[in-house]
Amino acid sequence: MLYQKSIVKKMKDLVKCGNFNESFKTVILNYVDEKNDSQMIFGHLCIIHYQEFAQDNNPEIITIAAAIELIILSFDIIDDLQDNDTDYLWCKEPAFAMNATLAMIFLAIKLINESTFRHKQEALSILNDFALKSINGQHLDLLNSCKFEESYIRMISLKSGSLTTLSSLLGTALAIGENEPCVAEYSNYIGVIQQIKNDIEDLNIWNKKNDLLNKKFSLPIIFLFEQSEEHSKILTDYYSGTTTYLDNQIIEEALMNTGAIHYAVALKNTFKFSALDLIETMSFSEESKQYLKKLME
């Protein structure tokens, strides 16, 4: 079931065979290596859905999975450059990084277009639609204006949910030539769940990725603003620039004691239960179902 090593190897092979000069190949290969701890979730979603709907093991699907992961890597790089909250290699060489993201996106599209899959044009249409949705969500995130639960969920549904949906539906479309609404729905939930998990984890460490320090909004932070007058005043002063110091001990205690973290976990679980119900309606192998469920733990 797990194709992580195969996907990474294929990503590197595709770059090596690409029409790039050797210096540029080295840059992109270094970026692939930088994320070598990734579980290649998006590639796996594509493979699983292709195999379940096509009922075959066409080895070319690994190439498509690698193409998807190149696109995801390019989106990750752009996100990191915009947020400037990581120390990855590409953040130290933004000009090279922007060029590499363009190369990876167009290489991925070229690979899908040149594949032998019968329904590749339908798959490319899905890729375009959901990539644009994710970019729209990224813009909303950059605006940092989603200060309420409803608008925030809509933003992460576009930004993160669209990428997991893209991956699942790409595999589905290559197999049957069309969208599958049930797959789209639970895949979007998986993306939302993953983002909420990341939001919670980012608040556990007081470093440059911490959303509070970066004056960004996430579900636990939104909860604090809405539920606690005392802590809302502290956060309002910090976010507005009235104060420049944030007492991490006070805020860490508030996140737990006011129920902000529990609220985010509870909301995550509502999406999890909805996704589980949908997954159980699919005539997938138990192995595939277990993989999808594991993504929501």
Side-chain angles (χ1 to χ4, degrees):
M1 167 69 78
L2 295 181
Y3 298 90
Q4 180 182 2
K5 291 182 179 179
S6 298
I7 294 172
V8 173
K9 182 179 183 303
K10 180 59 70 172
M11 290 171 71
K12 292 182 177 182
D13 289 344
L14 294 173
V15 173
K16 291 173 183 176
C17 294
N19 189 23
F20 310 128
N21 63 56
E22 292 304 315
S23 174
F24 195 22
K25 287 181 183 179
T26 299
V27 168
I28 301 175
L29 290 171
N30 286 340
Y31 292 171
V32 174
D33 282 335
E34 190 84 348
K35 278 290 186 83
N36 63 7
D37 61 338
S38 170
Q39 298 300 307
M40 300 293 153
I41 290 171
F42 302 92
H44 278 95
L45 285 172
C46 174
I47 293 170
I48 286 171
H49 287 85
Y50 174 78
Q51 290 177 340
E52 291 292 346
F53 283 101
Q55 294 296 302
D56 72 39
N57 289 304
N58 185 341
E60 196 176 5
I61 195 63
I62 300 293
T63 299
I64 306 301
I68 289 175
E69 288 291 349
L70 286 172
I71 291 175
I72 298 301
L73 177 56
S74 70
F75 276 41
D76 284 345
I77 291 172
I78 292 170
D79 183 60
D80 289 343
L81 292 175
Q82 290 170 337
D83 291 343
N84 193 29
D85 61 0
T86 69
D87 295 316
Y88 285 120
L89 179 60
W90 43 79
C91 292
K92 301 171 185 175
E93 45 188 37
F96 287 170
M98 290 303 297
N99 207 33
T101 60
L102 291 172
M104 286 188 282
I105 290 170
F106 283 100
L107 174 60
I109 293 172
K110 180 175 183 288
L111 292 167
I112 297 171
N113 194 47
E114 292 179 352
S115 72
T116 61
F117 288 101
R118 176 185 175 189
H119 302 299
K120 60 188 178 185
Q121 293 307 316
E122 290 85 350
L124 282 170
S125 178
I126 285 172
L127 170 61
N128 290 335
D129 289 345
F130 284 93
L132 288 172
K133 286 182 180 180
S134 182
I135 294 168
N136 186 41
Q138 175 70 0
H139 181 70
L140 292 174
D141 190 23
L142 290 171
L143 290 174
N144 200 31
S145 59
C146 300
K147 303 177 182 179
F148 302 97
E149 178 187 308
E150 183 178 357
S151 61
Y152 186 79
I153 292 297
R154 178 175 178 272
M155 183 271 288
I156 63 174
S157 177
L158 284 170
K159 177 183 173 180
S160 303
S162 292
L163 294 180
T164 45
T165 306
L166 178 161
S167 305
S168 297
L169 287 183
L170 197 63
T172 303
L174 288 173
I176 62 175
E178 61 187 44
N179 190 340
E180 175 56 56
C182 186
V183 171
E185 188 173 358
Y186 70 66
S187 296
N188 187 274
Y189 289 154
I190 290 173
V192 169
I193 291 164
Q194 292 278 340
Q195 185 61 58
I196 295 174
K197 285 168 57 179
N198 289 341
D199 289 346
I200 295 171
E201 291 170 2
D202 285 348
L203 292 175
N204 289 331
I205 304 175
W206 285 76
N207 60 18
K208 62 193 299 185
K209 279 191 69 68
N210 188 292
D211 287 334
L212 277 166
L213 294 179
N214 290 317
K215 301 180 181 180
K216 296 185 69 175
F217 291 92
S218 65
L219 290 175
I221 297 170
I222 289 170
F223 184 94
L224 278 185
F225 267 104
E226 294 181 345
Q227 300 297 321
S228 169
E229 184 176 342
E230 174 191 356
H231 299 112
S232 177
K233 176 68 165 59
I234 294 173
L235 292 175
T236 299
D237 287 347
Y238 179 70
Y239 274 53
S240 66
T242 303
T243 60
T244 58
Y245 172 73
L246 198 61
D247 191 319
N248 63 311
Q249 185 174 352
I250 291 176
I251 297 301
E252 284 176 349
E253 291 176 356
L255 286 168
M256 293 304 301
N257 296 338
T258 64
I261 297 296
H262 296 303
Y263 152 75
V265 171
L267 195 56
K268 175 180 74 70
N269 286 336
T270 64
F271 289 105
K272 176 181 177 179
F273 296 141
S274 296
L276 288 174
D277 287 342
L278 292 168
I279 290 169
E280 286 302 330
T281 68
M282 306 301 294
S283 57
F284 288 176
S285 68
E286 190 58 32
E287 186 180 16
S288 292
K289 287 183 178 181
Q290 286 303 315
Y291 179 82
L292 295 172
K293 292 174 183 178
K294 188 174 178 61
L295 295 179
M296 298 181 285
E297 291 178 353

